[in-house]
Amino acid sequence: MTANLLYAQSGGMTSVINASACGVIEAARARPEHIGKVFAARDGIVGALTEQLYDLDAESDAAIAGLRHLPGGVFGSCRYDLQDIATHRHQYERLIEVFAAHDIGYFLYNGGGGSMLTAERLLQVSAELGYPLKVVGVPKTIDNDLADTDTSPGFGSAAKYVAVSAREAACDVASMAGTSTKVFILEVMGRHAGWLAAAGGLAERTPGELPLVLLLAERAFDEGTFLEAVRTRVNAQGYCVIVASEGLKDSAGRFLSINTDNKVYDWIQLGGVAAGLAARIKQHLGYRTHWAVADYLQRSARHLASRTDLEQAYACGVEAVRLLAEGGHGTMVTLRRLADEPYRWEMASVPLAAVADLEYLVPDDFITPDGFGITDAARRYLRPLIEGEDHPPFRDGIPHYEPLRLTLAATRLPAFELD
Amino acid sequence: MTANLLYAQSGGMTSVINASACGVIEAARARPEHIGKVFAARDGIVGALTEQLYDLDAESDAAIAGLRHLPGGVFGSCRYDLQDIATHRHQYERLIEVFAAHDIGYFLYNGGGGSMLTAERLLQVSAELGYPLKVVGVPKTIDNDLADTDTSPGFGSAAKYVAVSAREAACDVASMAGTSTKVFILEVMGRHAGWLAAAGGLAERTPGELPLVLLLAERAFDEGTFLEAVRTRVNAQGYCVIVASEGLKDSAGRFLSINTDNKVYDWIQLGGVAAGLAARIKQHLGYRTHWAVADYLQRSARHLASRTDLEQAYACGVEAVRLLAEGGHGTMVTLRRLADEPYRWEMASVPLAAVADLEYLVPDDFITPDGFGITDAARRYLRPLIEGEDHPPFRDGIPHYEPLRLTLAATRLPAFELD
């Protein structure tokens, strides 16, 4: 059978999500016997509902190849999840209508656990309606909290950004600590999973080389032991570098973040942990501090992407198309680790239902007993994920990106009102 | 005459200050007929006062060459300025005692305007005491506020970091703007001079390509016109990227920063402008925002250094040694622009007194009439400073630095109590 393919993205961006799209589109173009046109939904599932579909026939091979270097997600994404079938069946039926109107028989959904739940439900409704649809999920999250895969594309590059930034900043604060700033705090993403804070541990080559304090979302923040850890490190090495999850909570489960009133679509935007930690250090220890909030920079710093992550992102896109075309649909592509050093991995897949809405947190044996560091097991796991560089082309001092045409296909259906 | 040389650093670090040190040390080693031993003061002038002098004979040529890749300032720096000669003559006399005890006839001071004032005073006291001392200043500041030089080493790399980060984050927010975050704010350094916020304008290749709002310290913040500028850009392009000086003030001259109580050694540490801007946008425009604070990352991101900046930093170190050895001392090394495109520059110098404690702000003709952008003249000036890359060597996913031995010379004087 030949059918058209629709690719859509969901949730936050990564430095390498466009590399997955590149893998999808190049692999689809290489299978004309299975796949006709390739569409990309504008702004994710929202564009699929509203029939805003980019017709990728308009894009040159060079522009598609250039996606490998482009941060953000050029086709757009959204924070908009489909609701339960029971209450919102019309959303799923609308999607099938849009698919039918554009002869779409293949749907690739790039996202995290929530997106895989949506993909699973869509498959269920299509079966009920007798619409021939094949669905495969492509994993993506800088948070590394997807279950049943060695890692998720996007995490390795964000982890590399955190590790390199913490190391470079450590060089700076070490230079100033004698008379000035003694503590540097880097706030990183992670609302429940502390994987990115854990990656701060990769700033040092050997345990204890740098005076690090890692604050992972998995551990309740205790002011007393935290301050003592900072004081100990400043006394021993003259300075301290803290890497903190934005999702840090106290023992009562309250976010330390200052931004908790910033709530949009059931999504509480965090941020402000670093300033709060700095104030506590200043007040109780008297040390001068500096703090940075990495925010979007950690997930868009394509200039510092992990080559490993980039290769995995591309490979996941290619594998997803292979599964669609050769069978094995109804699954999410995964990465399976074969060896730590040298790192070897292969493609695998799991049923969508197996990963839907699960969260994979940093395991206990990856966190040191005091809660402020990572173990050798964590290092063995994390180190390969940040390995290798893939410098994008620069022109006039900034990265050069090939422009895309982003031509929308003509609509064939009445307009649809979003809930 | 042969004498020993002392190198010292002052104030905040840059990504390339070690490259200047590298130029100094390599040039000094190439002039054994003029220069004996090379010392580096530990933690800047504090180490010179307390006779904490690194003896660089212990460092291999490879370790010195490796300084080109190392962020921070490996010999340390301080926020500690010498006071007036009238009230603190003993400080200057102590320095001369330390110099005499170690046969130091050459003093190289790497810093900004305040440091050049200290260097000038030290020269004056040495003359009064009849001590044969030659002094040359090496320019350094990420703020670009030193007078009488085309730019200062450190700025180009920080500017490149800001431009690249703003461009990468723009790709991210553009992807999300349809249903989620519409405004991204990047807070950058600059307490009086808005040069780094101006560098945010280099994120776009052509004026208007990106929906940018630059908030320079040179312009009083006006909430109404700011909000209108953001609203206009979101309406036109769907999103907005703001780059703001940490030193932003309102029309009454009050810092917008939340951190103004954080005062150490007469140095008010700023930070928090981004969060304040985000709150205003949320409240008045209802847009969802994300904000990052670059802080130390912008001045330590050696992995993203400007090759132009790096070459200038090294050249300034070499030229300072040439001036010491061949005459022309009592000056600060400067960079003189010969052409914009292709950028050509040459070394020059100015008397220390000419640059002491002056501040070079962004000129009016570099700022657009609405205050939220930079002009073509600014682009012509700024663009060459961020040109070129110089990727450091990486190992295991993070930059690899050659370790230094950092051996302190034996002290020959009684201890000295810092004021």
Side-chain angles (χ1 to χ4, degrees):
Chain A
M1 124 183 181
T2 303
N4 296 331
L5 182 151
L6 177 66
Y7 169 77
Q9 301 166 163
S10 178
M13 293 297 91
T14 80
S15 308
V16 301
I17 190 171
N18 281 323
S20 287
C22 176
V24 166
I25 301 163
E26 291 187 348
R29 288 184 174 185
R31 290 182 178 268
E33 73 282 14
H34 293 104
I35 297 167
K37 290 176 85 68
V38 181
F39 296 103
R42 178 182 185 168
D43 295 344
I45 207 72
V46 164
L49 287 166
T50 57
E51 206 190 350
Q52 302 276 298
L53 308 180
Y54 292 120
D55 179 348
L56 301 187
D57 282 355
E59 310 296 344
S60 69
D61 286 347
I64 297 304
L67 286 175
R68 190 179 168 95
H69 304 297
L70 180 61
V74 72
F75 305 120
S77 181
C78 59
R79 293 219 179 273
Y80 184 93
D81 276 329
L82 267 58
Q83 308 294 311
D84 271 350
I85 297 175
T87 55
H88 290 71
R89 191 177 181 87
H90 64 289
Q91 292 181 333
Y92 298 88
E93 290 178 351
R94 165 70 179 187
L95 285 176
I96 301 296
E97 280 170 28
V98 171
F99 291 0
H102 295 274
D103 301 318
I104 292 165
Y106 300 112
F107 180 58
L108 279 183
Y109 204 23
N110 187 322
S115 309
M116 299 310 142
L117 183 59
T118 298
E120 169 75 7
R121 289 169 173 168
L122 180 60
L123 208 50
Q124 183 189 326
V125 175
S126 70
E128 288 166 17
L129 295 174
Y131 183 81
L133 183 68
K134 295 189 172 186
V135 175
V136 168
V138 181
K140 177 268 325 175
T141 168
I142 64 160
D143 289 331
N144 205 39
D145 56 358
L146 270 172
D148 278 319
T149 180
D150 186 49
T151 185
S152 296
F155 172 68
S157 294
K160 186 183 184 88
Y161 177 93
V162 170
V164 172
S165 296
R167 185 167 186 90
E168 291 179 330
C171 290
D172 192 317
V173 67
S175 311
M176 304 299 295
T179 63
S180 183
T181 302
K182 285 186 170 36
V183 180
F184 174 76
I185 306 163
L186 176 60
E187 176 175 326
V188 300
M189 286 181 161
R191 52 189 53 241
H192 304 301
W195 286 108
L196 284 170
L202 300 181
E204 59 184 4
R205 295 193 174 277
T206 49
E209 178 198 3
L210 298 179
L212 294 174
V213 170
L214 309 180
L215 297 174
L216 279 64
E218 283 79 0
R219 291 288 179 268
F221 176 77
D222 178 79
E223 185 174 286
T225 55
F226 163 71
L227 291 171
E228 183 56 21
V230 173
R231 202 183 60 78
T232 305
R233 283 157 182 77
V234 170
N235 284 348
Q237 289 170 270
Y239 69 104
C240 180
V241 173
I242 298 164
V243 183
S245 294
E246 61 178 4
L248 210 58
K249 294 176 189 164
D250 64 18
S251 57
R254 289 175 301 231
F255 282 121
L256 267 66
S257 166
I258 58 172
N259 268 0
T260 45
D261 59 336
N262 202 352
K263 190 172 170 181
V264 183
Y265 294 123
D266 294 327
W267 175 263
I268 296 172
Q269 181 182 324
L270 304 176
V273 163
L277 295 172
R280 286 173 168 86
I281 291 166
K282 176 87 185 158
Q283 182 189 346
H284 296 288
L285 301 176
Y287 300 145
R288 191 167 164 210
T289 61
H290 259 260
W291 51 271
V293 181
D295 195 63
Y296 276 7
L297 305 189
Q298 73 203 285
R299 68 182 215 191
S300 63
R302 173 61 187 83
H303 75 271
L304 190 57
S306 152
R307 198 180 61 231
T308 303
D309 186 34
L310 202 63
E311 287 169 356
Q312 292 181 331
Y314 181 85
C316 284
V318 171
E319 175 67 3
V321 171
R322 193 190 70 75
L323 288 174
L324 281 182
E326 298 181 8
H329 90 98
T331 57
M332 184 186 80
V333 172
T334 60
L335 297 156
R336 184 185 292 146
R337 181 177 300 225
L338 302 173
D340 287 332
E341 199 182 346
Y343 182 45
R344 290 191 304 113
W345 50 276
E346 63 179 12
M347 301 308 310
S349 61
V350 293
L352 287 168
V355 288
D357 253 358
L358 289 178
E359 268 192 329
Y360 173 51
L361 303 183
V362 180
D364 284 345
D365 69 331
F366 277 19
I367 308 174
T368 53
D370 68 1
F372 299 124
I374 56 172
T375 63
D376 287 345
R379 278 172 227 281
R380 275 194 302 277
Y381 167 72
L382 288 167
R383 180 70 72 184
L385 306 181
I386 69 165
E387 267 198 27
E389 293 71 51
D390 186 303
H391 306 298
F394 277 73
R395 191 180 291 176
D396 298 332
I398 58 174
H400 174 69
Y401 312 128
E402 289 296 328
L404 274 79
R405 301 171 64 97
L406 296 180
T407 309
L408 286 170
T411 57
R412 297 174 179 178
L413 295 174
F416 179 80
E417 195 81 8
L418 288 178
D419 292 77
Chain B
M1 123 184 180
T2 304
N4 296 333
L5 182 151
L6 177 65
Y7 169 77
Q9 300 165 161
S10 178
M13 293 296 91
T14 81
S15 308
V16 300
I17 190 170
N18 281 325
S20 287
C22 175
V24 166
I25 300 162
E26 291 188 347
R29 287 184 175 187
R31 290 180 179 269
E33 72 281 16
H34 293 105
I35 298 166
K37 291 177 84 68
V38 180
F39 296 105
R42 177 181 186 169
D43 294 344
I45 207 71
V46 164
L49 286 165
T50 57
E51 204 189 350
Q52 302 277 298
L53 308 180
Y54 292 120
D55 180 347
L56 302 188
D57 283 356
E59 311 297 345
S60 69
D61 286 346
I64 297 304
L67 286 174
R68 189 179 169 96
H69 304 297
L70 180 61
V74 74
F75 306 120
S77 181
C78 59
R79 293 217 180 273
Y80 184 92
D81 275 329
L82 268 58
Q83 307 294 310
D84 271 348
I85 297 175
T87 54
H88 290 72
R89 190 178 182 87
H90 65 288
Q91 291 181 331
Y92 298 88
E93 289 178 353
R94 167 68 180 189
L95 285 177
I96 301 296
E97 280 171 28
V98 171
F99 291 0
H102 295 274
D103 300 319
I104 291 164
Y106 300 111
F107 180 59
L108 278 183
Y109 204 24
N110 187 323
S115 308
M116 299 309 141
L117 182 61
T118 298
E120 168 75 6
R121 288 169 173 165
L122 179 61
L123 207 51
Q124 181 189 329
V125 174
S126 70
E128 288 166 15
L129 295 173
Y131 183 82
L133 183 67
K134 294 187 172 185
V135 176
V136 167
V138 180
K140 178 267 324 176
T141 168
I142 64 159
D143 290 331
N144 204 40
D145 56 357
L146 270 172
D148 279 321
T149 181
D150 186 50
T151 185
S152 295
F155 171 68
S157 295
K160 187 182 184 91
Y161 177 93
V162 171
V164 172
S165 297
R167 186 169 185 89
E168 291 178 330
C171 291
D172 193 317
V173 67
S175 311
M176 304 299 294
T179 61
S180 182
T181 302
K182 287 187 171 35
V183 180
F184 174 75
I185 306 163
L186 175 61
E187 175 175 326
V188 301
M189 286 181 160
R191 51 189 53 241
H192 303 302
W195 285 108
L196 284 171
L202 300 182
E204 59 185 4
R205 295 194 174 274
T206 49
E209 180 196 3
L210 299 179
L212 294 174
V213 170
L214 309 180
L215 297 173
L216 280 63
E218 282 79 359
R219 291 288 179 268
F221 177 77
D222 178 79
E223 186 175 285
T225 55
F226 164 71
L227 291 172
E228 182 56 23
V230 173
R231 202 182 59 78
T232 305
R233 282 157 183 78
V234 170
N235 283 347
Q237 289 170 271
Y239 70 106
C240 179
V241 173
I242 299 164
V243 183
S245 296
E246 63 179 1
L248 210 57
K249 292 177 191 165
D250 63 18
S251 57
R254 291 174 301 231
F255 282 121
L256 266 68
S257 165
I258 57 172
N259 267 1
T260 46
D261 60 335
N262 203 350
K263 190 172 170 181
V264 183
Y265 293 123
D266 293 328
W267 175 263
I268 297 172
Q269 181 183 322
L270 304 176
V273 163
L277 295 172
R280 285 174 169 87
I281 291 166
K282 178 89 184 155
Q283 183 188 345
H284 297 289
L285 300 177
Y287 299 146
R288 192 168 164 212
T289 61
H290 259 261
W291 51 270
V293 181
D295 195 64
Y296 276 7
L297 306 188
Q298 72 203 285
R299 66 183 216 190
S300 63
R302 173 61 187 83
H303 75 271
L304 190 55
S306 153
R307 197 180 62 231
T308 303
D309 186 33
L310 201 64
E311 287 170 355
Q312 290 181 332
Y314 181 84
C316 284
V318 171
E319 175 68 4
V321 171
R322 193 191 69 77
L323 287 174
L324 280 181
E326 298 181 8
H329 91 99
T331 58
M332 182 186 82
V333 171
T334 61
L335 297 157
R336 184 186 292 149
R337 182 177 297 226
L338 302 173
D340 287 330
E341 200 184 343
Y343 183 44
R344 290 190 304 113
W345 50 276
E346 64 179 10
M347 303 307 310
S349 62
V350 293
L352 288 168
V355 287
D357 253 358
L358 290 178
E359 269 193 328
Y360 173 51
L361 303 183
V362 180
D364 285 344
D365 69 331
F366 277 19
I367 308 175
T368 53
D370 68 2
F372 299 125
I374 57 172
T375 62
D376 287 344
R379 280 172 225 282
R380 275 195 302 278
Y381 167 73
L382 288 167
R383 182 69 73 183
L385 306 181
I386 70 165
E387 268 197 26
E389 293 70 54
D390 187 303
H391 306 298
F394 278 72
R395 193 180 290 176
D396 298 332
I398 59 174
H400 174 69
Y401 313 128
E402 289 296 327
L404 273 79
R405 300 172 64 95
L406 296 180
T407 309
L408 286 170
T411 57
R412 296 173 178 178
L413 296 173
F416 179 80
E417 195 80 10
L418 289 178
D419 290 77

